[in-house]
Amino acid sequence: VQLQASGGGLVQPGGSLGLSCQASGFPLDEYTIGWFRQAPGKEREVVSCISTRDGNTHYSESVKGRFTISRDDAKKTVYLRMNSLKPEDTAVYYCADACRYTLVQTWGKGTQVTVSS
């Protein structure tokens, strides 16, 4: 079971970025996939999740209305579209095989997102 996150980078405030989480070694449509982030000196927090079984989504209050999570089962990929980015969105973003930190068994390698002018 592997998850690989990609798509991070440097963007100006108000800009957009798209992250991808590529799954391998397990059937994506049987798992909930979560995006988490960890800023320097802060705990890792959940950003958004999608139930790949029924498509239900969850967003943290801090990103609701700006981020959109989606999936493509054929490509075994979960996406996170991030709009109206703020400096406080700066963090390393990870995808994982659960929506709750305590339930995660597999973490993808993180990808850095930096929002700065």
Short mmCIF file of all heavy atoms in Angstrom, two decimals, residues 28-93:
data_model
loop_
_atom_site.label_atom_id
_atom_site.label_comp_id
_atom_site.label_asym_id
_atom_site.label_seq_id
_atom_site.Cartn_x
_atom_site.Cartn_y
_atom_site.Cartn_z
N LEU A 28 -8.60 1.77 -4.39
CA LEU A 28 -8.91 3.11 -3.89
C LEU A 28 -10.38 3.24 -3.53
O LEU A 28 -10.72 3.94 -2.57
CB LEU A 28 -8.52 4.15 -4.93
CG LEU A 28 -8.66 5.61 -4.51
CD1 LEU A 28 -7.69 5.94 -3.40
CD2 LEU A 28 -8.45 6.54 -5.71
N ASP A 29 -11.24 2.57 -4.26
CA ASP A 29 -12.68 2.76 -4.04
C ASP A 29 -13.17 2.11 -2.75
O ASP A 29 -14.36 2.15 -2.45
CB ASP A 29 -13.48 2.27 -5.24
CG ASP A 29 -13.25 0.80 -5.54
OD1 ASP A 29 -12.43 0.18 -4.84
OD2 ASP A 29 -13.88 0.29 -6.47
N GLU A 30 -12.29 1.52 -1.98
CA GLU A 30 -12.68 0.94 -0.69
C GLU A 30 -12.12 1.73 0.49
O GLU A 30 -12.27 1.31 1.64
CB GLU A 30 -12.21 -0.52 -0.62
CG GLU A 30 -12.89 -1.42 -1.63
CD GLU A 30 -12.47 -2.87 -1.48
OE1 GLU A 30 -11.78 -3.19 -0.48
OE2 GLU A 30 -12.82 -3.68 -2.36
N TYR A 31 -11.51 2.88 0.22
CA TYR A 31 -10.87 3.65 1.28
C TYR A 31 -11.35 5.10 1.30
O TYR A 31 -11.65 5.68 0.26
CB TYR A 31 -9.36 3.64 1.10
CG TYR A 31 -8.69 2.36 1.51
CD1 TYR A 31 -8.73 1.23 0.70
CD2 TYR A 31 -8.02 2.26 2.73
CE1 TYR A 31 -8.13 0.05 1.09
CE2 TYR A 31 -7.41 1.09 3.12
CZ TYR A 31 -7.46 -0.01 2.30
OH TYR A 31 -6.87 -1.17 2.68
N THR A 32 -11.38 5.65 2.49
CA THR A 32 -11.47 7.09 2.64
C THR A 32 -10.06 7.65 2.57
O THR A 32 -9.14 7.12 3.19
CB THR A 32 -12.11 7.46 3.99
OG1 THR A 32 -13.50 7.09 3.96
CG2 THR A 32 -11.98 8.94 4.27
N ILE A 33 -9.88 8.70 1.78
CA ILE A 33 -8.58 9.34 1.64
C ILE A 33 -8.65 10.74 2.23
O ILE A 33 -9.59 11.48 1.97
CB ILE A 33 -8.14 9.41 0.16
CG1 ILE A 33 -8.03 8.00 -0.43
CG2 ILE A 33 -6.82 10.16 0.04
CD1 ILE A 33 -6.96 7.14 0.21
N GLY A 34 -7.68 11.05 3.03
CA GLY A 34 -7.62 12.34 3.66
C GLY A 34 -6.39 13.14 3.26
O GLY A 34 -5.33 12.56 3.01
N TRP A 35 -6.56 14.45 3.20
CA TRP A 35 -5.42 15.36 3.05
C TRP A 35 -5.18 16.02 4.41
O TRP A 35 -6.14 16.54 5.02
CB TRP A 35 -5.71 16.43 2.00
CG TRP A 35 -5.56 15.97 0.60
CD1 TRP A 35 -6.54 15.62 -0.27
CD2 TRP A 35 -4.33 15.84 -0.13
NE1 TRP A 35 -6.01 15.26 -1.48
CE2 TRP A 35 -4.66 15.40 -1.43
CE3 TRP A 35 -2.99 16.06 0.18
CZ2 TRP A 35 -3.69 15.16 -2.41
CZ3 TRP A 35 -2.04 15.83 -0.79
CH2 TRP A 35 -2.39 15.38 -2.07
N PHE A 36 -3.95 15.99 4.85
CA PHE A 36 -3.55 16.61 6.09
C PHE A 36 -2.46 17.63 5.78
O PHE A 36 -1.85 17.60 4.70
CB PHE A 36 -2.98 15.57 7.06
CG PHE A 36 -3.96 14.55 7.54
CD1 PHE A 36 -4.41 13.53 6.72
CD2 PHE A 36 -4.44 14.60 8.85
CE1 PHE A 36 -5.33 12.58 7.17
CE2 PHE A 36 -5.34 13.66 9.31
CZ PHE A 36 -5.79 12.65 8.47
N ARG A 37 -2.19 18.50 6.73
CA ARG A 37 -1.08 19.42 6.57
C ARG A 37 -0.42 19.66 7.92
O ARG A 37 -1.06 19.53 8.97
CB ARG A 37 -1.52 20.73 5.93
CG ARG A 37 -2.42 21.58 6.80
CD ARG A 37 -2.91 22.80 6.02
NE ARG A 37 -3.77 23.67 6.81
CZ ARG A 37 -4.43 24.73 6.33
NH1 ARG A 37 -4.31 25.02 5.04
NH2 ARG A 37 -5.17 25.45 7.12
N GLN A 38 0.85 20.00 7.83
CA GLN A 38 1.60 20.32 9.04
C GLN A 38 2.48 21.52 8.78
O GLN A 38 3.38 21.47 7.92
CB GLN A 38 2.43 19.13 9.49
CG GLN A 38 3.08 19.32 10.84
CD GLN A 38 3.62 18.03 11.42
OE1 GLN A 38 3.85 17.05 10.72
NE2 GLN A 38 3.84 18.01 12.73
N ALA A 39 2.21 22.59 9.51
CA ALA A 39 3.01 23.80 9.42
C ALA A 39 4.12 23.72 10.47
O ALA A 39 4.00 23.01 11.47
CB ALA A 39 2.13 25.01 9.67
N PRO A 40 5.19 24.47 10.26
CA PRO A 40 6.30 24.45 11.22
C PRO A 40 5.83 24.78 12.63
O PRO A 40 5.11 25.77 12.85
CB PRO A 40 7.24 25.53 10.69
CG PRO A 40 6.97 25.59 9.23
CD PRO A 40 5.49 25.33 9.10
N GLY A 41 6.19 23.93 13.57
CA GLY A 41 5.83 24.16 14.95
C GLY A 41 4.40 23.85 15.32
O GLY A 41 3.99 24.10 16.46
N LYS A 42 3.65 23.30 14.39
CA LYS A 42 2.25 22.98 14.65
C LYS A 42 1.98 21.49 14.45
O LYS A 42 2.75 20.79 13.81
CB LYS A 42 1.32 23.80 13.74
CG LYS A 42 1.38 25.30 14.00
CD LYS A 42 0.33 26.02 13.19
CE LYS A 42 0.33 27.51 13.50
NZ LYS A 42 -0.72 28.24 12.73
N GLU A 43 0.87 21.04 15.02
CA GLU A 43 0.49 19.65 14.87
C GLU A 43 -0.09 19.41 13.47
O GLU A 43 -0.61 20.32 12.84
CB GLU A 43 -0.54 19.28 15.93
CG GLU A 43 0.01 19.30 17.35
CD GLU A 43 -1.01 18.80 18.36
OE1 GLU A 43 -2.18 18.60 17.99
OE2 GLU A 43 -0.63 18.62 19.53
N ARG A 44 0.00 18.16 13.05
CA ARG A 44 -0.59 17.80 11.77
C ARG A 44 -2.12 17.85 11.92
O ARG A 44 -2.67 17.34 12.90
CB ARG A 44 -0.13 16.40 11.36
CG ARG A 44 -0.41 16.05 9.93
CD ARG A 44 0.32 14.78 9.52
NE ARG A 44 1.78 14.93 9.59
CZ ARG A 44 2.63 14.02 9.14
NH1 ARG A 44 2.19 12.90 8.58
NH2 ARG A 44 3.94 14.21 9.25
N GLU A 45 -2.78 18.43 10.95
CA GLU A 45 -4.23 18.59 11.02
C GLU A 45 -4.88 18.12 9.72
O GLU A 45 -4.28 18.21 8.64
CB GLU A 45 -4.61 20.06 11.25
CG GLU A 45 -4.16 21.00 10.14
CD GLU A 45 -4.63 22.43 10.35
OE1 GLU A 45 -5.37 22.70 11.30
OE2 GLU A 45 -4.24 23.27 9.52
N VAL A 46 -6.09 17.64 9.85
CA VAL A 46 -6.82 17.23 8.66
C VAL A 46 -7.34 18.46 7.93
O VAL A 46 -7.78 19.43 8.55
CB VAL A 46 -7.97 16.26 9.03
CG1 VAL A 46 -9.02 16.96 9.87
CG2 VAL A 46 -8.57 15.66 7.78
N VAL A 47 -7.25 18.42 6.62
CA VAL A 47 -7.70 19.52 5.77
C VAL A 47 -9.00 19.13 5.07
O VAL A 47 -9.97 19.89 5.08
CB VAL A 47 -6.63 19.87 4.73
CG1 VAL A 47 -7.16 20.89 3.73
CG2 VAL A 47 -5.38 20.40 5.42
N SER A 48 -8.99 17.96 4.48
CA SER A 48 -10.15 17.51 3.72
C SER A 48 -10.09 16.00 3.54
O SER A 48 -9.01 15.41 3.55
CB SER A 48 -10.19 18.19 2.35
OG SER A 48 -11.31 17.79 1.60
N CYS A 49 -11.27 15.39 3.41
CA CYS A 49 -11.34 13.95 3.20
C CYS A 49 -12.43 13.65 2.19
O CYS A 49 -13.38 14.41 2.03
CB CYS A 49 -11.72 13.22 4.49
SG CYS A 49 -10.67 13.58 5.88
N ILE A 50 -12.27 12.51 1.54
CA ILE A 50 -13.31 12.04 0.64
C ILE A 50 -13.49 10.55 0.82
O ILE A 50 -12.51 9.79 0.88
CB ILE A 50 -12.98 12.38 -0.83
CG1 ILE A 50 -14.14 12.01 -1.75
CG2 ILE A 50 -11.68 11.71 -1.28
CD1 ILE A 50 -14.05 12.63 -3.13
N SER A 51 -14.75 10.18 0.97
CA SER A 51 -15.07 8.75 1.06
C SER A 51 -15.15 8.21 -0.35
O SER A 51 -16.07 8.54 -1.09
CB SER A 51 -16.40 8.55 1.79
OG SER A 51 -16.81 7.20 1.70
N THR A 52 -14.20 7.42 -0.72
CA THR A 52 -14.17 6.96 -2.09
C THR A 52 -15.25 5.91 -2.35
O THR A 52 -15.41 5.47 -3.49
CB THR A 52 -12.80 6.39 -2.45
OG1 THR A 52 -12.42 5.40 -1.49
CG2 THR A 52 -11.76 7.48 -2.45
N ARG A 53 -16.00 5.55 -1.33
CA ARG A 53 -17.09 4.60 -1.54
C ARG A 53 -18.35 5.33 -1.99
O ARG A 53 -19.04 4.89 -2.90
CB ARG A 53 -17.37 3.82 -0.26
CG ARG A 53 -18.45 2.76 -0.39
CD ARG A 53 -18.47 1.91 0.86
NE ARG A 53 -17.22 1.19 1.06
CZ ARG A 53 -16.93 0.49 2.14
NH1 ARG A 53 -17.79 0.43 3.15
NH2 ARG A 53 -15.78 -0.14 2.25
N ASP A 54 -18.67 6.49 -1.34
CA ASP A 54 -19.89 7.19 -1.71
C ASP A 54 -19.66 8.64 -2.11
O ASP A 54 -20.59 9.36 -2.40
CB ASP A 54 -20.92 7.13 -0.57
CG ASP A 54 -20.36 7.64 0.74
OD1 ASP A 54 -19.36 8.39 0.70
OD2 ASP A 54 -20.92 7.29 1.79
N GLY A 55 -18.39 9.06 -2.08
CA GLY A 55 -18.07 10.42 -2.52
C GLY A 55 -18.32 11.49 -1.49
O GLY A 55 -18.14 12.68 -1.78
N ASN A 56 -18.75 11.14 -0.29
CA ASN A 56 -18.96 12.16 0.74
C ASN A 56 -17.64 12.87 1.04
O ASN A 56 -16.58 12.25 1.09
CB ASN A 56 -19.49 11.53 2.02
CG ASN A 56 -20.95 11.16 1.91
OD1 ASN A 56 -21.64 11.65 1.01
ND2 ASN A 56 -21.43 10.32 2.79
N THR A 57 -17.73 14.18 1.24
CA THR A 57 -16.53 14.97 1.49
C THR A 57 -16.62 15.71 2.82
O THR A 57 -17.71 15.95 3.35
CB THR A 57 -16.31 16.00 0.38
OG1 THR A 57 -17.47 16.84 0.28
CG2 THR A 57 -16.08 15.32 -0.96
N HIS A 58 -15.46 16.04 3.33
CA HIS A 58 -15.35 16.80 4.57
C HIS A 58 -14.26 17.85 4.39
O HIS A 58 -13.23 17.58 3.76
CB HIS A 58 -15.00 15.86 5.73
CG HIS A 58 -14.47 16.59 6.93
ND1 HIS A 58 -15.28 17.26 7.82
CD2 HIS A 58 -13.19 16.79 7.36
CE1 HIS A 58 -14.54 17.82 8.74
NE2 HIS A 58 -13.27 17.54 8.51
N TYR A 59 -14.50 19.03 4.94
CA TYR A 59 -13.50 20.09 4.90
C TYR A 59 -13.36 20.71 6.29
O TYR A 59 -14.35 20.88 7.00
CB TYR A 59 -13.91 21.19 3.91
CG TYR A 59 -14.03 20.72 2.48
CD1 TYR A 59 -15.25 20.30 1.97
CD2 TYR A 59 -12.91 20.69 1.65
CE1 TYR A 59 -15.36 19.85 0.66
CE2 TYR A 59 -13.01 20.25 0.34
CZ TYR A 59 -14.24 19.83 -0.15
OH TYR A 59 -14.33 19.39 -1.45
N SER A 60 -12.15 21.08 6.62
CA SER A 60 -11.96 21.83 7.85
C SER A 60 -12.51 23.24 7.64
O SER A 60 -12.61 23.72 6.51
CB SER A 60 -10.48 21.89 8.23
OG SER A 60 -9.76 22.67 7.28
N GLU A 61 -12.87 23.89 8.73
CA GLU A 61 -13.46 25.23 8.63
C GLU A 61 -12.50 26.21 7.98
O GLU A 61 -12.91 27.14 7.29
CB GLU A 61 -13.86 25.71 10.02
CG GLU A 61 -15.10 25.05 10.57
CD GLU A 61 -16.33 25.27 9.70
OE1 GLU A 61 -16.51 26.40 9.21
OE2 GLU A 61 -17.11 24.31 9.51
N SER A 62 -11.22 26.00 8.18
CA SER A 62 -10.23 26.95 7.67
C SER A 62 -10.10 26.92 6.14
O SER A 62 -9.57 27.87 5.56
CB SER A 62 -8.87 26.68 8.32
OG SER A 62 -8.41 25.38 7.99
N VAL A 63 -10.55 25.85 5.51
CA VAL A 63 -10.40 25.76 4.05
C VAL A 63 -11.74 25.65 3.33
O VAL A 63 -11.78 25.67 2.09
CB VAL A 63 -9.51 24.56 3.65
CG1 VAL A 63 -8.18 24.61 4.38
CG2 VAL A 63 -10.21 23.23 3.89
N LYS A 64 -12.81 25.54 4.08
CA LYS A 64 -14.13 25.37 3.47
C LYS A 64 -14.43 26.54 2.54
O LYS A 64 -14.23 27.71 2.89
CB LYS A 64 -15.19 25.26 4.56
CG LYS A 64 -16.53 24.74 4.07
CD LYS A 64 -17.46 24.49 5.26
CE LYS A 64 -16.99 23.35 6.13
NZ LYS A 64 -17.95 23.04 7.23
N GLY A 65 -14.87 26.21 1.33
CA GLY A 65 -15.17 27.24 0.34
C GLY A 65 -14.00 27.62 -0.53
O GLY A 65 -14.17 28.29 -1.56
N ARG A 66 -12.79 27.19 -0.15
CA ARG A 66 -11.59 27.51 -0.94
C ARG A 66 -10.96 26.27 -1.55
O ARG A 66 -10.38 26.33 -2.62
CB ARG A 66 -10.57 28.22 -0.06
CG ARG A 66 -11.06 29.52 0.55
CD ARG A 66 -9.93 30.27 1.26
NE ARG A 66 -9.39 29.52 2.39
CZ ARG A 66 -8.11 29.16 2.50
NH1 ARG A 66 -7.24 29.45 1.54
NH2 ARG A 66 -7.69 28.49 3.57
N PHE A 67 -11.05 25.16 -0.84
CA PHE A 67 -10.43 23.91 -1.31
C PHE A 67 -11.53 22.97 -1.79
O PHE A 67 -12.65 22.96 -1.26
CB PHE A 67 -9.67 23.22 -0.18
CG PHE A 67 -8.40 23.92 0.25
CD1 PHE A 67 -8.10 25.21 -0.15
CD2 PHE A 67 -7.49 23.27 1.07
CE1 PHE A 67 -6.94 25.85 0.25
CE2 PHE A 67 -6.33 23.88 1.48
CZ PHE A 67 -6.06 25.18 1.07
N THR A 68 -11.18 22.16 -2.78
CA THR A 68 -12.10 21.15 -3.29
C THR A 68 -11.37 19.83 -3.46
O THR A 68 -10.32 19.77 -4.11
CB THR A 68 -12.68 21.57 -4.65
OG1 THR A 68 -13.34 22.83 -4.52
CG2 THR A 68 -13.69 20.53 -5.14
N ILE A 69 -11.94 18.80 -2.85
CA ILE A 69 -11.36 17.46 -2.97
C ILE A 69 -12.17 16.66 -3.98
O ILE A 69 -13.40 16.80 -4.06
CB ILE A 69 -11.31 16.75 -1.60
CG1 ILE A 69 -10.44 15.50 -1.67
CG2 ILE A 69 -12.71 16.45 -1.09
CD1 ILE A 69 -10.15 14.89 -0.29
N SER A 70 -11.49 15.85 -4.76
CA SER A 70 -12.18 15.02 -5.74
C SER A 70 -11.37 13.76 -5.97
O SER A 70 -10.24 13.64 -5.50
CB SER A 70 -12.38 15.79 -7.05
OG SER A 70 -11.13 16.13 -7.61
N ARG A 71 -11.95 12.85 -6.71
CA ARG A 71 -11.24 11.59 -6.95
C ARG A 71 -11.48 11.11 -8.37
O ARG A 71 -12.48 11.42 -8.99
CB ARG A 71 -11.71 10.51 -5.98
CG ARG A 71 -13.10 9.96 -6.29
CD ARG A 71 -13.52 8.95 -5.26
NE ARG A 71 -14.63 8.15 -5.72
CZ ARG A 71 -15.90 8.46 -5.56
NH1 ARG A 71 -16.20 9.59 -4.97
NH2 ARG A 71 -16.84 7.64 -6.00
N ASP A 72 -10.55 10.31 -8.84
CA ASP A 72 -10.68 9.63 -10.12
C ASP A 72 -10.30 8.18 -9.87
O ASP A 72 -9.11 7.84 -9.79
CB ASP A 72 -9.77 10.27 -11.16
CG ASP A 72 -9.94 9.67 -12.55
OD1 ASP A 72 -10.30 8.47 -12.65
OD2 ASP A 72 -9.71 10.38 -13.53
N ASP A 73 -11.30 7.34 -9.70
CA ASP A 73 -11.03 5.95 -9.35
C ASP A 73 -10.25 5.22 -10.43
O ASP A 73 -9.42 4.36 -10.13
CB ASP A 73 -12.35 5.21 -9.08
CG ASP A 73 -13.04 5.71 -7.83
OD1 ASP A 73 -12.33 6.32 -6.98
OD2 ASP A 73 -14.25 5.53 -7.70
N ALA A 74 -10.51 5.56 -11.68
CA ALA A 74 -9.80 4.89 -12.77
C ALA A 74 -8.31 5.18 -12.72
O ALA A 74 -7.49 4.31 -13.03
CB ALA A 74 -10.38 5.33 -14.11
N LYS A 75 -7.96 6.38 -12.30
CA LYS A 75 -6.56 6.76 -12.20
C LYS A 75 -6.01 6.51 -10.80
O LYS A 75 -4.83 6.79 -10.53
CB LYS A 75 -6.37 8.22 -12.57
CG LYS A 75 -6.70 8.54 -14.03
CD LYS A 75 -6.43 10.00 -14.35
CE LYS A 75 -6.71 10.30 -15.81
NZ LYS A 75 -6.46 11.72 -16.15
N LYS A 76 -6.87 6.02 -9.89
CA LYS A 76 -6.49 5.77 -8.50
C LYS A 76 -5.84 7.01 -7.90
O LYS A 76 -4.80 6.93 -7.23
CB LYS A 76 -5.56 4.55 -8.41
CG LYS A 76 -6.18 3.27 -8.96
CD LYS A 76 -5.32 2.06 -8.71
CE LYS A 76 -5.39 1.61 -7.28
NZ LYS A 76 -4.70 0.33 -7.04
N THR A 77 -6.46 8.14 -8.12
CA THR A 77 -5.90 9.42 -7.69
C THR A 77 -6.96 10.26 -7.01
O THR A 77 -8.11 10.32 -7.45
CB THR A 77 -5.33 10.19 -8.89
OG1 THR A 77 -4.34 9.38 -9.53
CG2 THR A 77 -4.69 11.48 -8.44
N VAL A 78 -6.57 10.89 -5.92
CA VAL A 78 -7.40 11.87 -5.23
C VAL A 78 -6.73 13.23 -5.38
O VAL A 78 -5.51 13.34 -5.24
CB VAL A 78 -7.57 11.50 -3.75
CG1 VAL A 78 -8.30 12.60 -3.00
CG2 VAL A 78 -8.33 10.19 -3.61
N TYR A 79 -7.53 14.24 -5.67
CA TYR A 79 -7.02 15.58 -5.94
C TYR A 79 -7.47 16.54 -4.85
O TYR A 79 -8.53 16.37 -4.23
CB TYR A 79 -7.52 16.08 -7.29
CG TYR A 79 -7.19 15.17 -8.44
CD1 TYR A 79 -8.13 14.25 -8.91
CD2 TYR A 79 -5.95 15.23 -9.08
CE1 TYR A 79 -7.84 13.40 -9.97
CE2 TYR A 79 -5.66 14.39 -10.14
CZ TYR A 79 -6.60 13.48 -10.58
OH TYR A 79 -6.30 12.65 -11.64
N LEU A 80 -6.68 17.57 -4.66
CA LEU A 80 -7.06 18.68 -3.79
C LEU A 80 -6.79 19.97 -4.53
O LEU A 80 -5.64 20.32 -4.78
CB LEU A 80 -6.28 18.65 -2.47
CG LEU A 80 -6.72 19.69 -1.44
CD1 LEU A 80 -8.13 19.35 -0.93
CD2 LEU A 80 -5.75 19.77 -0.27
N ARG A 81 -7.85 20.63 -4.92
CA ARG A 81 -7.72 21.91 -5.60
C ARG A 81 -7.80 23.01 -4.55
O ARG A 81 -8.76 23.09 -3.80
CB ARG A 81 -8.84 22.10 -6.62
CG ARG A 81 -8.75 23.42 -7.40
CD ARG A 81 -7.50 23.47 -8.25
NE ARG A 81 -7.38 24.73 -8.98
CZ ARG A 81 -6.31 25.04 -9.72
NH1 ARG A 81 -5.29 24.19 -9.84
NH2 ARG A 81 -6.26 26.20 -10.33
N MET A 82 -6.78 23.86 -4.51
CA MET A 82 -6.69 24.89 -3.49
C MET A 82 -6.73 26.26 -4.16
O MET A 82 -5.84 26.59 -4.95
CB MET A 82 -5.38 24.72 -2.71
CG MET A 82 -5.22 23.33 -2.10
SD MET A 82 -3.73 23.17 -1.10
CE MET A 82 -2.48 23.33 -2.36
N ASN A 83 -7.78 27.00 -3.87
CA ASN A 83 -7.94 28.35 -4.41
C ASN A 83 -7.85 29.39 -3.30
O ASN A 83 -7.97 29.06 -2.12
CB ASN A 83 -9.29 28.48 -5.11
CG ASN A 83 -9.40 27.57 -6.33
OD1 ASN A 83 -8.43 27.32 -7.03
ND2 ASN A 83 -10.61 27.09 -6.57
N SER A 84 -7.67 30.62 -3.69
CA SER A 84 -7.62 31.74 -2.73
C SER A 84 -6.66 31.43 -1.59
O SER A 84 -6.99 31.61 -0.41
CB SER A 84 -9.02 32.03 -2.19
OG SER A 84 -9.92 32.34 -3.24
N LEU A 85 -5.49 30.99 -1.94
CA LEU A 85 -4.53 30.56 -0.93
C LEU A 85 -4.06 31.72 -0.06
O LEU A 85 -3.93 32.87 -0.53
CB LEU A 85 -3.34 29.87 -1.58
CG LEU A 85 -3.63 28.42 -2.03
CD1 LEU A 85 -2.62 27.96 -3.06
CD2 LEU A 85 -3.66 27.50 -0.84
N LYS A 86 -3.83 31.42 1.20
CA LYS A 86 -3.40 32.40 2.17
C LYS A 86 -2.04 31.99 2.74
O LYS A 86 -1.70 30.80 2.72
CB LYS A 86 -4.41 32.47 3.32
CG LYS A 86 -5.83 32.75 2.88
CD LYS A 86 -6.77 32.67 4.08
CE LYS A 86 -8.21 32.91 3.66
NZ LYS A 86 -9.14 32.83 4.82
N PRO A 87 -1.28 32.93 3.27
CA PRO A 87 0.00 32.57 3.88
C PRO A 87 -0.14 31.48 4.95
O PRO A 87 0.75 30.64 5.10
CB PRO A 87 0.49 33.89 4.47
CG PRO A 87 -0.10 34.92 3.57
CD PRO A 87 -1.46 34.39 3.22
N GLU A 88 -1.25 31.49 5.66
CA GLU A 88 -1.46 30.48 6.70
C GLU A 88 -1.74 29.09 6.16
O GLU A 88 -1.82 28.13 6.92
CB GLU A 88 -2.59 30.90 7.66
CG GLU A 88 -3.87 31.29 6.98
CD GLU A 88 -3.99 32.80 6.82
OE1 GLU A 88 -2.99 33.44 6.42
OE2 GLU A 88 -5.08 33.34 7.06
N ASP A 89 -1.88 28.96 4.84
CA ASP A 89 -2.00 27.64 4.23
C ASP A 89 -0.63 27.00 3.99
O ASP A 89 -0.55 25.83 3.60
CB ASP A 89 -2.73 27.72 2.89
CG ASP A 89 -4.18 28.15 3.03
OD1 ASP A 89 -4.86 27.64 3.95
OD2 ASP A 89 -4.63 29.00 2.24
N THR A 90 0.42 27.76 4.24
CA THR A 90 1.77 27.23 4.08
C THR A 90 2.00 26.07 5.02
O THR A 90 1.81 26.18 6.24
CB THR A 90 2.81 28.33 4.35
OG1 THR A 90 2.68 29.35 3.35
CG2 THR A 90 4.22 27.77 4.30
N ALA A 91 2.40 24.93 4.45
CA ALA A 91 2.60 23.72 5.24
C ALA A 91 3.09 22.61 4.31
O ALA A 91 3.07 22.75 3.09
CB ALA A 91 1.30 23.28 5.91
N VAL A 92 3.49 21.51 4.92
CA VAL A 92 3.71 20.29 4.17
C VAL A 92 2.39 19.54 4.14
O VAL A 92 1.78 19.32 5.19
CB VAL A 92 4.81 19.42 4.79
CG1 VAL A 92 4.97 18.12 3.99
CG2 VAL A 92 6.13 20.18 4.84
N TYR A 93 1.94 19.19 2.96
CA TYR A 93 0.67 18.51 2.79
C TYR A 93 0.90 17.02 2.56
O TYR A 93 1.77 16.63 1.76
CB TYR A 93 -0.10 19.11 1.62
CG TYR A 93 -0.73 20.44 1.96
CD1 TYR A 93 0.06 21.58 2.18
CD2 TYR A 93 -2.12 20.57 2.10
CE1 TYR A 93 -0.51 22.80 2.51
CE2 TYR A 93 -2.70 21.79 2.43
CZ TYR A 93 -1.89 22.89 2.63
OH TYR A 93 -2.46 24.09 2.98
#
